[in-house]
Amino acid sequence: MRIRRSRPADVARLHAIWREAVLATHDFLSAEDFAAIDATVHDAYLPRAALWVAVDGEDRPVAFMGLSEAHVDSLFVDPAMHGRGIGAAMIDHARGAAGLGGTALSVDVNEQNDKAVGFYAHLGFRVAGRSERDDEGRPYPLLHMTMA
């Protein structure tokens, strides 16, 4: 596996990874909210975001991560690839790419996504705060986590 920047040709595969990962881990989302978020991810986020992409030996994306300075905006791994260290490798890459210089790496995680909360805690992230609603005002609490 290697990590590279995203390309326009990756969008369809990245969207498939996002959908599969969310369906596997976000059972708390209403069907209406899933559809709205799906449209935003497909139409606005993936085509415009500068993402880091983990690819297999054939350059096929298996995961992606959005990174704004020292904040992980998104991290999604193909569920068929869970448990293989890809997510941890992406976080290691984020720490290097962010050039932290003493700044903590941060991420916001849906509180109801037990798998993601456990993943980040296992890597050394700790809860630094909580919001009752997500960034769009939906009733999905966020945990604000940091890792020194």
Side-chain angles (χ1 to χ4, degrees):
M1 179 204 70
R2 67 182 180 88
I3 299 172
R4 64 163 170 79
R5 284 295 196 171
S6 61
R7 302 174 185 147
D10 295 329
V11 170
R13 175 68 185 134
L14 299 182
H15 184 241
I17 291 169
W18 179 87
R19 285 182 61 88
E20 292 165 16
V22 170
L23 289 171
T25 60
H26 291 63
D27 58 354
F28 53 88
L29 289 177
S30 71
E32 180 180 273
D33 286 338
F34 175 82
I37 297 166
D38 183 44
T40 299
V41 167
H42 181 267
D43 299 338
Y45 182 66
L46 292 175
R48 294 181 180 96
L51 302 169
W52 291 103
V53 179
V55 296
D56 64 16
E58 297 174 6
D59 200 44
R60 182 173 187 260
V62 296
F64 70 89
M65 174 180 63
L67 184 64
S68 298
E69 297 180 14
H71 184 76
V72 176
D73 298 318
S74 60
L75 176 56
F76 292 93
V77 177
D78 181 338
M81 304 298 283
H82 283 183
R84 298 183 188 191
I86 296 168
M90 296 293 278
I91 293 298
D92 284 345
H93 184 81
R95 291 177 58 79
L100 298 178
T103 303
L105 190 64
S106 63
V107 65
D108 294 334
V109 184
N110 289 108
E111 184 176 59
Q112 295 124 313
N113 186 345
D114 295 331
K115 290 179 184 177
V117 172
F119 165 77
Y120 288 112
H122 176 75
L123 293 180
F125 284 83
R126 299 293 173 247
V127 175
R130 182 180 184 274
S131 299
E132 281 294 319
R133 296 183 170 272
D134 70 11
D135 294 336
E136 300 300 319
R138 290 182 288 261
Y140 305 114
L142 294 176
L143 296 179
H144 310 294
M145 301 180 80
T146 59
M147 174 180 167

